[in-house]
Amino acid sequence: NAGVTQTPKFRVLKTGQSMTLLCAQDMNHEYMYWYRQDPGMGLRLIHYSVGEGTTAKGEVPDGYNVSRLKKQNFLLGLESAAPSQTSVYFCASSNELAGVFDEQFFGPGTRLTVL
Amino acid sequence: QKEVEQDPGPLSVPEGAIVSLNCTYSNSAFQYFMWYRQYSRKGPELLMYTYSSGNKEDGRFTAQVDKSSKYISLFIRDSQPSDSATYLCAMSADTDKLIFGTGTRLQVFP
């Protein structure tokens, strides 16, 4: 099993460009998450999904959109990139049952620089 | 004020030392407490998980939760150079959304 994979690993964008980050998991998990990690800020939740076809906003959703058309994939889109979106982006997945904690498994991250 | 506060370090200790990492929090509804370890340029991985108050031990690692003081700790005994990483505390009031600390960078030198 590959676990959680992210594509691409690195990307440099110019201000105003758009891009899509792809997250894939092969663990049949229901829940998927997108985080960004910045120095001094820790991991912050951007958007998440509790199942195929669902999405919800996290702590810092502005400037991002997401889609979960297939259970195994969770896409993060930047429609018009800004330098403030320079960050390391992590995808995670988990299979949480109601009232039961389950581990979030993280991907290796995507390093994005917006010039 | 952040919901979860964590000293960013760096913390530098000699091999074999006992390491204490801590987080404080403000939300009394938190009941799930986790420690994640993140090696450089890698994703975080779950190290320890505790529900509500109390201690949990796993090998050289001990996690403590004091809900009355809103304070959690991770102790590493007999620290090794391979323990050099960033340690993130995380907590949740329910079972889906986690709130992370900023992480403490630990370096264990031989």
Side-chain angles (χ1 to χ4, degrees):
Chain A
N1 287 351
V4 180
T5 58
Q6 293 183 231
T7 309
K9 288 185 171 53
F10 305 92
R11 187 72 185 268
V12 178
L13 289 179
K14 293 181 180 178
T15 297
Q17 288 185 319
S18 63
M19 78 164 293
T20 300
L21 283 67
L22 171 64
C23 176
Q25 53 94 5
D26 61 3
M27 296 172 282
N28 202 34
H29 284 169
E30 289 292 335
Y31 286 43
M32 295 188 74
Y33 311 81
W34 275 107
Y35 293 91
R36 59 178 290 173
Q37 187 173 37
D38 304 289
M41 301 296 292
L43 280 162
R44 292 180 293 169
L45 184 63
I46 304 171
H47 286 281
Y48 65 104
S49 167
V50 299
E52 182 178 316
T54 75
T55 62
K57 294 180 179 179
E59 181 185 355
V60 288
D62 293 342
Y64 305 95
N65 56 76
V66 288
S67 64
R68 183 101 182 265
L69 298 180
K70 293 183 178 180
K71 185 177 183 178
Q72 64 268 33
N73 295 338
F74 196 27
L75 279 63
L76 178 71
L78 286 72
E79 290 186 347
S80 180
S84 61
Q85 293 177 305
T86 294
S87 188
V88 182
Y89 292 86
F90 287 100
C91 176
S93 72
S94 68
N95 202 26
E96 293 163 6
L97 303 175
V100 178
F101 170 79
D102 204 354
E103 177 182 353
Q104 286 190 20
F105 292 84
F106 283 80
T110 294
R111 292 181 174 273
L112 175 66
T113 301
V114 183
L115 302 176
Chain B
Q1 182 187 4
K2 293 180 181 176
E3 275 191 290
V4 178
E5 298 278 359
Q6 185 175 10
D7 188 331
L11 184 60
S12 186
V13 301
E15 183 175 355
I18 297 174
V19 175
S20 173
L21 304 167
N22 311 294
C23 288
T24 59
Y25 63 95
S26 58
N27 188 345
S28 58
F30 288 150
Q31 53 181 340
Y32 300 92
F33 303 93
M34 288 131 272
W35 286 96
Y36 279 80
R37 181 174 59 195
Q38 185 177 21
Y39 290 114
S40 181
R41 295 184 174 264
K42 300 287 186 185
E45 55 182 354
L46 184 66
L47 190 61
M48 299 281 286
Y49 153 67
T50 308
Y51 172 71
S52 193
S53 284
N55 294 359
K56 187 172 186 177
E57 188 173 321
D58 184 2
R60 297 184 294 111
F61 299 89
T62 299
Q64 287 186 351
V65 175
D66 181 351
K67 291 189 73 178
S68 62
S69 301
K70 296 190 180 67
Y71 188 87
I72 71 170
S73 301
L74 177 71
F75 297 95
I76 307 175
R77 291 184 298 280
D78 188 25
S79 56
Q80 302 295 310
S82 58
D83 294 328
S84 298
T86 296
Y87 291 80
L88 302 156
C89 63
M91 42 199 84
S92 175
D94 48 37
T95 57
D96 53 7
K97 293 187 293 293
L98 299 180
I99 306 298
F100 283 86
T102 54
T104 300
R105 190 156 64 90
L106 170 67
Q107 184 170 5
V108 182
F109 56 90

